[in-house]
Amino acid sequence: MDRFQRFLFLRTMPGLGEVPPEISQVIAANTRERFFAKGEHLYRSGVPVLEIQYVVSGECEIIRNGRAVRRLGPRTVVGGISALAGDELGYDCIALEDMVTLAITVDDSQEIFEDHFVLLKRVLRGTSREVLESRRKLGQSAGFGPVAEPFAFPDRPSDLVERMAFLRKTFSFGDSEIDAIADLARGVQEVHIPKGEILWNIGDRSTYFLLPLRGVIDCRATDPDQHFQLGPSDSVGAIDAMGDERRWFRAEVIEDLVAFRIDQELLLEVLEDNFTMAISLLRSMAAGILQLYGGRLGTGVLANGSPVARHPKSTYAEAPTHSLCCPSRAVPLRRSRCTSVPVPVSVPVSVSVSVPVSVPVSVSVPVPVPVPVPVPATGLASLRSL
């Protein structure tokens, strides 16, 4: 296929047909045609995924942990989630028939993302929708475990520095610059919502999401029938807001709620101006999908899929890092019968931030040694492969 033919094909891909033609031209210029014979590997387990493949013709099968989990055919993308997540362990993907693909390297993709936020926004949207579809396949609990303990926070409205510290530690922004965190923190609203309040119903527009500090939200979905509860260390309503989807569950406050509210448009504006933050968020979402797939359970997750508790109570500076996906809660659990299991834990000794007025702030965090922590003995639905 010559460059023009590659361009025409890419315009037929879901999502790419919606971006400006000049962006599709740039992608076409950075792809190369590849051929895989029946039975040949597109990717191998143990080998990092360094290229993303757009399938032109043929069909392939993805195998994780010895199980066939998915088949992909023409006009689909193979390797995208693993490549974006920086997954070094990879997986097996085998051609079921002769295949033709267009391949683009991860590095080239990220350069295009940096130059064209409209494309990165589309990928964030598509990744969020894949998270949502994964959740819907994880049984009645949607893969969520018990609600975590509330964060320790002062009995007064949070200030800018406290909001910045919380966002930096909880929202998977990686090495984002302090200025970017400050931009987001300025627009974050602290909300207090009483027990009994309905946050939204199924089918409502998704324009914001919540990061709870205290309280519990009861969530019920009907397609399929699912029931779960969310609270501290969860991002409530984020995957539907970022995916530009209608609300997929009804949310009711069942314990007085204190949370940070982030509007979708505010987050997108900050991401557009701060590429490092945007790509860190995308990588985190992709890594979360891999955990939901059951491909590899990462830090904070036991072999049976249960979250590992870390601290008796979290503060702003001690808040555990999580993503929009919230594949697991690496925080203290409650409302569950527990067994003590020794788990070594370490956290950064200090977190230093500087705010726009150039006042250095340092938050000291004690470094714990290996201690027994509570791990739920029963009642948690393990994450399972799709």
Side-chain angles (χ1 to χ4, degrees):
M1 300 173 70
D2 61 27
R3 179 173 171 177
F4 183 67
Q5 290 173 319
R6 298 198 301 273
F7 164 76
L8 291 179
F9 170 76
L10 290 171
R11 295 298 293 174
T12 70
M13 289 286 298
L16 290 183
E18 301 172 8
V19 301
E22 56 269 24
I23 298 179
S24 298
Q25 291 175 6
V26 173
I27 299 173
N30 284 276
T31 58
R32 62 189 181 98
E33 185 176 356
R34 296 197 62 184
F35 174 80
F36 297 92
K38 179 180 178 180
E40 190 175 350
H41 279 75
L42 283 73
Y43 306 109
R44 288 184 180 275
S45 179
V47 179
V49 176
L50 302 178
E51 288 187 330
I52 300 169
Q53 314 270 351
Y54 300 99
V55 181
V56 178
S57 62
E59 187 177 40
C60 60
E61 187 169 58
I62 294 175
I63 301 174
R64 293 184 181 275
N65 301 324
R67 294 181 55 196
V69 297
R70 200 172 186 184
R71 289 190 176 190
L72 295 169
R75 294 179 176 79
T76 60
V77 180
V78 186
I81 296 299
S82 289
L84 293 172
D87 180 18
E88 296 184 354
L89 298 181
Y91 58 88
D92 289 310
C93 181
I94 302 173
L96 299 178
E97 56 188 83
D98 290 351
M99 293 185 66
V100 175
T101 71
L102 297 180
I104 184 170
T105 67
V106 176
D107 289 342
D108 286 340
S109 294
Q110 292 190 6
E111 286 186 12
I112 297 172
F113 289 157
E114 186 169 9
D115 293 336
H116 303 280
F117 181 74
V118 64
L119 177 61
L120 179 54
K121 181 179 175 181
R122 294 282 181 182
V123 175
L124 283 167
R125 179 185 299 175
T127 305
S128 297
R129 289 175 176 175
E130 186 156 357
V131 174
L132 177 54
E133 290 307 308
S134 299
R135 285 288 181 198
R136 284 174 164 161
K137 296 176 182 178
L138 287 174
Q140 188 174 28
S141 71
F144 292 105
V147 175
E149 291 285 355
F151 294 113
F153 60 96
D155 189 20
R156 55 168 172 73
S158 59
D159 60 29
L160 176 63
V161 174
E162 289 166 338
R163 295 196 299 274
M164 289 172 62
F166 182 85
L167 291 172
R168 181 68 178 267
K169 292 297 293 182
T170 64
F171 214 60
S172 303
F173 286 144
D175 297 325
S176 302
E177 296 181 0
I178 292 300
D179 287 346
I181 302 293
D183 287 343
L184 182 60
R186 289 189 190 95
V188 168
Q189 305 171 51
E190 182 179 319
V191 296
H192 296 248
I193 304 174
K195 175 182 176 180
E197 188 82 12
I198 304 299
L199 298 178
W200 57 72
N201 287 297
I202 295 172
D204 287 352
R205 289 189 60 203
S206 304
T207 59
Y208 71 94
F209 59 94
L210 299 173
L211 301 178
L213 303 172
R214 182 179 67 192
V216 180
I217 301 168
D218 190 67
C219 309
R220 293 180 181 272
T222 58
D223 184 23
D225 183 29
Q226 293 179 311
H227 181 208
F228 49 92
Q229 293 181 344
L230 301 176
S233 109
D234 292 317
S235 48
V236 184
I239 56 176
D240 31 353
M242 291 301 295
D244 202 21
E245 292 281 316
R246 296 279 179 169
R247 297 297 189 191
W248 63 289
F249 59 83
R250 180 180 185 270
E252 178 182 357
V253 177
I254 60 173
E255 284 187 12
D256 289 350
L257 182 70
V258 179
F260 289 142
R261 169 177 166 150
I262 301 180
D263 290 338
Q264 175 200 43
E265 288 304 315
L266 167 67
L267 179 58
L268 290 175
E269 288 175 7
V270 175
L271 295 180
E272 185 172 8
D273 294 335
N274 299 278
F275 175 73
T276 300
M277 177 184 283
I279 201 67
S280 295
L281 181 59
L282 180 58
R283 287 171 181 160
S284 175
M285 293 170 63
I289 290 176
L290 290 183
Q291 290 189 9
L292 291 176
Y293 281 168
R296 270 161 302 282
L297 298 174
T299 302
V301 184
L302 297 178
N304 67 356
S306 302
V308 175
R310 289 186 177 178
H311 303 286
K313 181 170 283 190
S314 297
T315 66
Y316 286 116
E318 296 170 335
T321 301
H322 68 94
S323 71
L324 293 178
C325 314
C326 291
S328 63
R329 297 185 178 93
V331 291
L333 304 177
R334 63 182 176 185
R335 301 181 181 85
S336 179
R337 181 165 57 86
C338 295
T339 301
S340 291
V341 178
V343 179
V345 181
S346 63
V347 297
V349 173
S350 66
V351 178
S352 296
V353 297
S354 58
V355 295
V357 292
S358 300
V359 179
V361 179
S362 179
V363 182
S364 296
V365 181
V367 180
V369 295
V371 294
V373 295
V375 176
T378 59
L380 275 181
S382 299
L383 300 179
R384 58 174 187 266
S385 301
L386 300 181

PDB file of all heavy atoms in Angstrom, residues 5 10 28 37-38 61 100 109 140-141 149 153 228 234 274 300 320 322 330 333:
ATOM      1  N   GLN A   5      -2.987   5.180  -0.170  1.00  0.00           N
ATOM      2  CA  GLN A   5      -3.845   4.038   0.145  1.00  0.00           C
ATOM      3  C   GLN A   5      -3.915   3.827   1.661  1.00  0.00           C
ATOM      4  O   GLN A   5      -4.984   3.489   2.197  1.00  0.00           O
ATOM      5  CB  GLN A   5      -3.324   2.781  -0.548  1.00  0.00           C
ATOM      6  CG  GLN A   5      -3.498   2.791  -2.062  1.00  0.00           C
ATOM      7  CD  GLN A   5      -2.820   1.600  -2.719  1.00  0.00           C
ATOM      8  OE1 GLN A   5      -1.703   1.210  -2.351  1.00  0.00           O
ATOM      9  NE2 GLN A   5      -3.497   1.010  -3.704  1.00  0.00           N
ATOM     10  N   LEU A  10      -6.993   4.282   6.738  1.00  0.00           N
ATOM     11  CA  LEU A  10      -7.086   4.810   8.097  1.00  0.00           C
ATOM     12  C   LEU A  10      -8.354   5.633   8.295  1.00  0.00           C
ATOM     13  O   LEU A  10      -8.914   5.678   9.393  1.00  0.00           O
ATOM     14  CB  LEU A  10      -5.847   5.648   8.421  1.00  0.00           C
ATOM     15  CG  LEU A  10      -4.536   4.860   8.580  1.00  0.00           C
ATOM     16  CD1 LEU A  10      -3.350   5.810   8.669  1.00  0.00           C
ATOM     17  CD2 LEU A  10      -4.584   3.963   9.804  1.00  0.00           C
ATOM     18  N   ALA A  28      -0.620   8.109   8.503  1.00  0.00           N
ATOM     19  CA  ALA A  28      -0.298   7.297   7.335  1.00  0.00           C
ATOM     20  C   ALA A  28       1.180   7.398   6.977  1.00  0.00           C
ATOM     21  O   ALA A  28       1.817   6.405   6.596  1.00  0.00           O
ATOM     22  CB  ALA A  28      -1.163   7.724   6.152  1.00  0.00           C
ATOM     23  N   ALA A  37       1.955 -14.420   8.140  1.00  0.00           N
ATOM     24  CA  ALA A  37       1.384 -15.668   7.629  1.00  0.00           C
ATOM     25  C   ALA A  37       0.565 -16.357   8.716  1.00  0.00           C
ATOM     26  O   ALA A  37       0.764 -16.113   9.919  1.00  0.00           O
ATOM     27  CB  ALA A  37       2.495 -16.594   7.143  1.00  0.00           C
ATOM     28  N   LYS A  38      -0.362 -17.197   8.309  1.00  0.00           N
ATOM     29  CA  LYS A  38      -1.176 -17.957   9.266  1.00  0.00           C
ATOM     30  C   LYS A  38      -0.261 -18.687  10.253  1.00  0.00           C
ATOM     31  O   LYS A  38       0.705 -19.343   9.860  1.00  0.00           O
ATOM     32  CB  LYS A  38      -2.056 -18.950   8.521  1.00  0.00           C
ATOM     33  CG  LYS A  38      -2.926 -19.811   9.436  1.00  0.00           C
ATOM     34  CD  LYS A  38      -3.778 -20.784   8.631  1.00  0.00           C
ATOM     35  CE  LYS A  38      -4.615 -21.672   9.559  1.00  0.00           C
ATOM     36  NZ  LYS A  38      -5.464 -22.626   8.793  1.00  0.00           N
ATOM     37  N   GLU A  61      -5.694 -13.870  17.159  1.00  0.00           N
ATOM     38  CA  GLU A  61      -6.228 -14.254  18.469  1.00  0.00           C
ATOM     39  C   GLU A  61      -5.233 -13.861  19.555  1.00  0.00           C
ATOM     40  O   GLU A  61      -4.034 -14.111  19.427  1.00  0.00           O
ATOM     41  CB  GLU A  61      -6.486 -15.754  18.523  1.00  0.00           C
ATOM     42  CG  GLU A  61      -7.190 -16.235  19.767  1.00  0.00           C
ATOM     43  CD  GLU A  61      -7.658 -17.676  19.639  1.00  0.00           C
ATOM     44  OE1 GLU A  61      -6.793 -18.543  19.407  1.00  0.00           O
ATOM     45  OE2 GLU A  61      -8.876 -17.920  19.739  1.00  0.00           O
ATOM     46  N   VAL A 100      -2.665  -8.712   6.880  1.00  0.00           N
ATOM     47  CA  VAL A 100      -1.966  -7.493   6.495  1.00  0.00           C
ATOM     48  C   VAL A 100      -2.320  -6.434   7.525  1.00  0.00           C
ATOM     49  O   VAL A 100      -3.495  -6.252   7.870  1.00  0.00           O
ATOM     50  CB  VAL A 100      -2.368  -7.021   5.085  1.00  0.00           C
ATOM     51  CG1 VAL A 100      -1.714  -5.674   4.768  1.00  0.00           C
ATOM     52  CG2 VAL A 100      -1.987  -8.060   4.038  1.00  0.00           C
ATOM     53  N   SER A 109       3.732   7.311  17.698  1.00  0.00           N
ATOM     54  CA  SER A 109       2.366   7.601  18.137  1.00  0.00           C
ATOM     55  C   SER A 109       2.350   8.720  19.167  1.00  0.00           C
ATOM     56  O   SER A 109       1.530   9.640  19.094  1.00  0.00           O
ATOM     57  CB  SER A 109       1.721   6.337  18.736  1.00  0.00           C
ATOM     58  OG  SER A 109       1.554   5.343  17.768  1.00  0.00           O
ATOM     59  N   GLN A 140     -21.482  -9.063  39.070  1.00  0.00           N
ATOM     60  CA  GLN A 140     -22.379  -8.139  39.758  1.00  0.00           C
ATOM     61  C   GLN A 140     -21.637  -7.000  40.436  1.00  0.00           C
ATOM     62  O   GLN A 140     -22.132  -5.881  40.524  1.00  0.00           O
ATOM     63  CB  GLN A 140     -23.229  -8.888  40.791  1.00  0.00           C
ATOM     64  CG  GLN A 140     -24.314  -8.014  41.402  1.00  0.00           C
ATOM     65  CD  GLN A 140     -25.237  -8.785  42.319  1.00  0.00           C
ATOM     66  OE1 GLN A 140     -24.844  -9.783  42.907  1.00  0.00           O
ATOM     67  NE2 GLN A 140     -26.478  -8.324  42.435  1.00  0.00           N
ATOM     68  N   SER A 141     -20.423  -7.239  40.929  1.00  0.00           N
ATOM     69  CA  SER A 141     -19.673  -6.200  41.631  1.00  0.00           C
ATOM     70  C   SER A 141     -18.888  -5.305  40.689  1.00  0.00           C
ATOM     71  O   SER A 141     -18.258  -4.340  41.140  1.00  0.00           O
ATOM     72  CB  SER A 141     -18.708  -6.837  42.628  1.00  0.00           C
ATOM     73  OG  SER A 141     -17.648  -7.481  41.946  1.00  0.00           O
ATOM     74  N   GLU A 149     -11.210   2.964  53.825  1.00  0.00           N
ATOM     75  CA  GLU A 149     -11.319   3.892  54.950  1.00  0.00           C
ATOM     76  C   GLU A 149     -11.246   5.335  54.447  1.00  0.00           C
ATOM     77  O   GLU A 149     -10.595   5.618  53.444  1.00  0.00           O
ATOM     78  CB  GLU A 149     -10.193   3.639  55.948  1.00  0.00           C
ATOM     79  CG  GLU A 149     -10.309   2.325  56.703  1.00  0.00           C
ATOM     80  CD  GLU A 149     -11.377   2.369  57.780  1.00  0.00           C
ATOM     81  OE1 GLU A 149     -11.946   3.463  57.996  1.00  0.00           O
ATOM     82  OE2 GLU A 149     -11.644   1.327  58.397  1.00  0.00           O
ATOM     83  N   PHE A 153      -8.415  14.347  56.980  1.00  0.00           N
ATOM     84  CA  PHE A 153      -8.303  15.694  56.426  1.00  0.00           C
ATOM     85  C   PHE A 153      -8.825  16.690  57.447  1.00  0.00           C
ATOM     86  O   PHE A 153      -9.613  16.347  58.324  1.00  0.00           O
ATOM     87  CB  PHE A 153      -9.075  15.815  55.111  1.00  0.00           C
ATOM     88  CG  PHE A 153     -10.554  15.542  55.235  1.00  0.00           C
ATOM     89  CD1 PHE A 153     -11.459  16.579  55.392  1.00  0.00           C
ATOM     90  CD2 PHE A 153     -11.039  14.237  55.180  1.00  0.00           C
ATOM     91  CE1 PHE A 153     -12.807  16.322  55.508  1.00  0.00           C
ATOM     92  CE2 PHE A 153     -12.396  13.984  55.298  1.00  0.00           C
ATOM     93  CZ  PHE A 153     -13.279  15.026  55.459  1.00  0.00           C
ATOM     94  N   PHE A 228     -22.623  -2.197  43.433  1.00  0.00           N
ATOM     95  CA  PHE A 228     -21.345  -2.022  44.101  1.00  0.00           C
ATOM     96  C   PHE A 228     -21.363  -0.688  44.834  1.00  0.00           C
ATOM     97  O   PHE A 228     -22.259   0.136  44.633  1.00  0.00           O
ATOM     98  CB  PHE A 228     -20.180  -2.062  43.097  1.00  0.00           C
ATOM     99  CG  PHE A 228     -20.373  -1.185  41.893  1.00  0.00           C
ATOM    100  CD1 PHE A 228     -19.914   0.126  41.872  1.00  0.00           C
ATOM    101  CD2 PHE A 228     -21.042  -1.668  40.769  1.00  0.00           C
ATOM    102  CE1 PHE A 228     -20.104   0.937  40.768  1.00  0.00           C
ATOM    103  CE2 PHE A 228     -21.234  -0.850  39.653  1.00  0.00           C
ATOM    104  CZ  PHE A 228     -20.766   0.451  39.642  1.00  0.00           C
ATOM    105  N   ASP A 234     -11.569   6.002  45.166  1.00  0.00           N
ATOM    106  CA  ASP A 234     -12.224   5.721  43.887  1.00  0.00           C
ATOM    107  C   ASP A 234     -12.437   7.018  43.113  1.00  0.00           C
ATOM    108  O   ASP A 234     -12.573   8.089  43.701  1.00  0.00           O
ATOM    109  CB  ASP A 234     -13.587   5.052  44.107  1.00  0.00           C
ATOM    110  CG  ASP A 234     -13.462   3.661  44.668  1.00  0.00           C
ATOM    111  OD1 ASP A 234     -12.584   2.912  44.202  1.00  0.00           O
ATOM    112  OD2 ASP A 234     -14.237   3.323  45.579  1.00  0.00           O
ATOM    113  N   ASN A 274      -0.913  20.400  28.990  1.00  0.00           N
ATOM    114  CA  ASN A 274       0.143  19.692  29.723  1.00  0.00           C
ATOM    115  C   ASN A 274       0.237  18.260  29.222  1.00  0.00           C
ATOM    116  O   ASN A 274      -0.418  17.350  29.745  1.00  0.00           O
ATOM    117  CB  ASN A 274      -0.148  19.717  31.221  1.00  0.00           C
ATOM    118  CG  ASN A 274      -0.195  21.125  31.790  1.00  0.00           C
ATOM    119  OD1 ASN A 274       0.828  21.720  32.100  1.00  0.00           O
ATOM    120  ND2 ASN A 274      -1.397  21.667  31.914  1.00  0.00           N
ATOM    121  N   GLY A 300      -0.212  -3.878  44.849  1.00  0.00           N
ATOM    122  CA  GLY A 300      -1.413  -3.666  45.642  1.00  0.00           C
ATOM    123  C   GLY A 300      -2.478  -4.708  45.416  1.00  0.00           C
ATOM    124  O   GLY A 300      -3.571  -4.584  45.921  1.00  0.00           O
ATOM    125  N   PRO A 320      -3.083   6.703  48.213  1.00  0.00           N
ATOM    126  CA  PRO A 320      -2.522   5.777  47.245  1.00  0.00           C
ATOM    127  C   PRO A 320      -2.825   6.201  45.824  1.00  0.00           C
ATOM    128  O   PRO A 320      -3.875   6.761  45.541  1.00  0.00           O
ATOM    129  CB  PRO A 320      -3.227   4.457  47.577  1.00  0.00           C
ATOM    130  CG  PRO A 320      -4.530   4.891  48.167  1.00  0.00           C
ATOM    131  CD  PRO A 320      -4.246   6.161  48.914  1.00  0.00           C
ATOM    132  N   HIS A 322      -4.008   5.908  42.090  1.00  0.00           N
ATOM    133  CA  HIS A 322      -4.953   5.090  41.331  1.00  0.00           C
ATOM    134  C   HIS A 322      -5.277   5.806  40.035  1.00  0.00           C
ATOM    135  O   HIS A 322      -4.842   6.913  39.779  1.00  0.00           O
ATOM    136  CB  HIS A 322      -6.228   4.828  42.140  1.00  0.00           C
ATOM    137  CG  HIS A 322      -7.065   6.057  42.372  1.00  0.00           C
ATOM    138  ND1 HIS A 322      -8.104   6.412  41.551  1.00  0.00           N
ATOM    139  CD2 HIS A 322      -6.989   7.021  43.315  1.00  0.00           C
ATOM    140  CE1 HIS A 322      -8.655   7.539  41.987  1.00  0.00           C
ATOM    141  NE2 HIS A 322      -8.003   7.926  43.051  1.00  0.00           N
ATOM    142  N   ALA A 330      -5.709  -0.112  46.681  1.00  0.00           N
ATOM    143  CA  ALA A 330      -4.564  -0.434  47.526  1.00  0.00           C
ATOM    144  C   ALA A 330      -4.604   0.414  48.793  1.00  0.00           C
ATOM    145  O   ALA A 330      -3.716   1.177  49.096  1.00  0.00           O
ATOM    146  CB  ALA A 330      -3.271  -0.178  46.769  1.00  0.00           C
ATOM    147  N   LEU A 333      -9.222  -1.629  54.024  1.00  0.00           N
ATOM    148  CA  LEU A 333     -10.566  -2.080  53.710  1.00  0.00           C
ATOM    149  C   LEU A 333     -11.416  -2.100  54.972  1.00  0.00           C
ATOM    150  O   LEU A 333     -10.916  -2.231  56.077  1.00  0.00           O
ATOM    151  CB  LEU A 333     -10.521  -3.489  53.115  1.00  0.00           C
ATOM    152  CG  LEU A 333      -9.640  -3.639  51.872  1.00  0.00           C
ATOM    153  CD1 LEU A 333      -9.625  -5.083  51.441  1.00  0.00           C
ATOM    154  CD2 LEU A 333     -10.139  -2.756  50.749  1.00  0.00           C
TER     155      LEU A 333
END
